[in-house]
Amino acid sequence: MALPESSYERLRATDCANEIAYVQACLRLYFAGTAASAGEVSPPGLSVAVVADIARLNKVGTFVLKALSRAPANERPAELFQWLETYRRRTVSMNAACLMDSMAINEALLDRRIDFVFLKGPFQQHLLYDDHFMKPAGDVDILVSPAGFSKAREVLRSIGYEVSGKSRSVWWVRFLGEQHMVRGNGPKSSTVDLHYRLQQPGSPSPRDADGFLRRKRLVEITGAEVPFTSAADTLMLSCISVAKALFNREPCAGYVCDIRASASRLDEADQQRVLDAAVTQGLEDTLLLGLRAADVLLGGTGTLLSERAKPILSRIGNEDLLNMVIAPWLLSLRWPQRRTVLWELCGRAPVRYLAEVGWAASADISRRIFERPASP
């Protein structure tokens, strides 16, 4: 869901062009595998607080830390480096707890023979970066089939999870296709996002969400095997997350980094298979939007996927797309209308577009009815 407006107050009050460029430069250096030089990426007057905000909201603090770690110690902004190391320690703590929760959930669902797959989180980070602690993971995301949704919810209840009050509504269950489930209270509480859909109304959804279950792979962790999305589906889900973030006007550079890390592991034959699969799912343009965002943020790769992505949403210039990804709070941004983006992501197909518009309108009506704040 969209971040609260308070997250952006300090950033809206500043001209953060230098800080955006700094974070982007560090991300490019991370993926290039080269050392960051203060002379390359640090303009004078850089605000550490603003850089920290940008890195935190985009969930890329550890990427920036690793890029700066390759530089000589006397070239690192000391205050920023200290903040990044603290950010990394908190991420390790959070993700370690998430891994423990995931293993308990995995055991419970397997015991009851529930067909499921883990999404995102520390498992994905290890597959993409050989590191479980690249981005903070505050909850465990699980996909089940629509038929298995109620059964999976009951299994989670049997190990102490309960449905969060806000996600009991028709809007959550019917239109978002998910529910939050929470165990415990306070800082040691655990949250599961139980999904049977993979996109919110307003952006095209996969035609066959159950295919993500059929194509799952087994990933070994602490001596056990857990089901996770295939390499191609991991890329596709990251692109879906970018489309969702742009719809909600949220920063999403962390998802864009996952797109680059996923795509870089595919040879040309694999890339063509991903494109073919995206066409089958009705998500070709969602895939290409994510890939274009990766090229704008991190530099083009000249691959088959990069070449195919160039024309998508061409009316949005590269600078605007960059800021939509990394700094959506900027008042100067020229945001396209959501229906214009939806038209493009539907491949300019009128029937598909009208179906998605109708679904989004129904969802909006439901949200207005069922998500109204309680009367005082």
Side-chain angles (χ1 to χ4, degrees):
M1 302 307 296
L3 292 166
E5 286 296 308
S6 59
S7 298
Y8 303 142
E9 286 178 2
R10 175 164 57 184
L11 293 167
R12 283 203 177 109
T14 63
D15 175 11
C16 53
N18 285 343
E19 288 76 14
I20 291 169
Y22 181 87
V23 173
Q24 181 188 22
C26 286
L27 293 177
R28 289 191 173 200
L29 289 164
Y30 170 82
F31 281 96
T34 55
S37 164
E40 288 181 83
V41 299
S42 300
L46 192 74
S47 168
V48 168
V50 172
V51 170
D53 278 343
I54 294 169
R56 174 179 57 83
L57 291 169
N58 283 281
K59 297 187 176 182
V60 294
T62 300
F63 296 85
V64 176
L65 174 65
K66 290 196 172 189
L68 293 177
S69 295
R70 303 182 188 127
N74 63 350
E75 293 188 6
R76 303 169 189 160
E79 184 182 355
L80 174 62
F81 201 74
Q82 182 179 5
W83 182 89
L84 291 168
E85 287 185 315
T86 301
Y87 175 95
R88 166 74 172 179
R89 287 194 295 270
R90 289 174 178 167
T91 300
V92 169
S93 177
M94 183 181 295
N95 288 18
C98 186
L99 284 166
M100 293 177 64
D101 293 336
S102 297
M103 298 311 296
I105 291 165
N106 180 67
E107 183 177 356
L109 292 174
L110 289 178
D111 284 348
R112 294 285 294 274
R113 300 190 178 184
I114 302 294
D115 190 19
F116 75 100
V117 63
F118 286 104
L119 310 173
K120 304 182 289 187
F123 297 140
Q124 176 172 300
Q125 293 170 40
H126 185 257
L127 290 168
L128 295 182
Y129 307 107
D130 297 318
D131 186 340
H132 290 100
F133 311 111
M134 288 297 291
K135 300 191 297 180
D139 47 43
V140 179
D141 285 277
I142 298 169
L143 174 69
V144 297
S145 68
F149 187 73
S150 295
K151 293 178 182 177
R153 185 172 56 201
E154 290 309 307
V155 172
L156 291 170
R157 279 180 171 152
S158 74
I159 58 173
Y161 288 90
E162 290 297 334
V163 177
S164 172
K166 68 176 183 178
S167 66
R168 296 176 186 272
S169 74
V170 171
W171 182 69
W172 277 87
V173 178
R174 171 65 175 148
F175 291 97
L176 290 187
E178 68 176 276
Q179 285 189 301
H180 293 320
M181 301 189 70
V182 180
R183 185 185 64 194
N185 296 304
K188 292 190 177 181
S189 64
S190 171
T191 303
V192 176
D193 284 346
L194 181 64
H195 302 257
Y196 71 89
R197 291 188 187 278
L198 288 172
Q199 184 57 290
Q200 68 178 43
S203 295
S205 300
R207 290 175 176 149
D208 178 23
D210 284 356
F212 290 82
L213 296 169
R214 294 193 303 272
R215 294 184 294 271
K216 64 189 175 188
R217 51 181 159 166
L218 294 177
V219 177
E220 187 174 341
I221 179 74
T222 64
E225 290 186 326
V226 301
F228 196 75
T229 50
S230 70
D233 287 340
T234 297
L235 171 57
M236 192 69 252
L237 284 170
S238 295
C239 293
I240 287 173
S241 294
V242 167
K244 179 179 178 180
L246 293 177
F247 179 87
N248 289 324
R249 300 186 179 179
E250 298 174 351
C252 58
Y255 290 131
V256 173
C257 288
D258 293 344
I259 291 169
R260 173 53 52 85
S262 294
S264 67
R265 294 171 176 262
L266 305 176
D267 61 25
E268 188 160 323
D270 290 331
Q271 292 177 47
Q272 186 59 58
R273 282 191 284 270
V274 167
L275 284 168
D276 293 342
V279 171
T280 301
Q281 286 278 19
L283 295 175
E284 179 184 13
D285 296 292
T286 298
L287 172 69
L288 296 177
L289 175 59
L291 292 164
R292 184 182 167 215
D295 286 350
V296 168
L297 177 66
L298 303 169
T301 60
T303 60
L304 170 65
L305 291 178
S306 283
E307 291 303 311
R308 290 289 297 274
K310 285 180 179 178
I312 188 70
L313 287 174
S314 57
R315 285 179 287 181
I316 302 175
N318 285 348
E319 183 178 356
D320 277 340
L321 182 58
L322 170 66
N323 287 328
M324 289 172 190
V325 165
I326 199 171
W329 56 81
L330 291 175
L331 297 176
S332 60
L333 257 177
R334 299 182 296 275
W335 283 93
Q337 292 182 319
R338 288 185 172 94
R339 64 173 178 266
T340 301
V341 176
L342 178 58
W343 170 250
E344 294 275 354
L345 295 185
C346 288
R348 303 185 181 187
V351 174
R352 177 87 188 276
Y353 172 74
L354 290 173
E356 294 290 351
V357 167
W359 179 247
S362 299
D364 187 55
I365 292 169
S366 174
R367 185 174 190 178
R368 290 173 186 273
I369 294 172
F370 296 108
E371 297 292 301
R372 289 180 298 185
S375 300

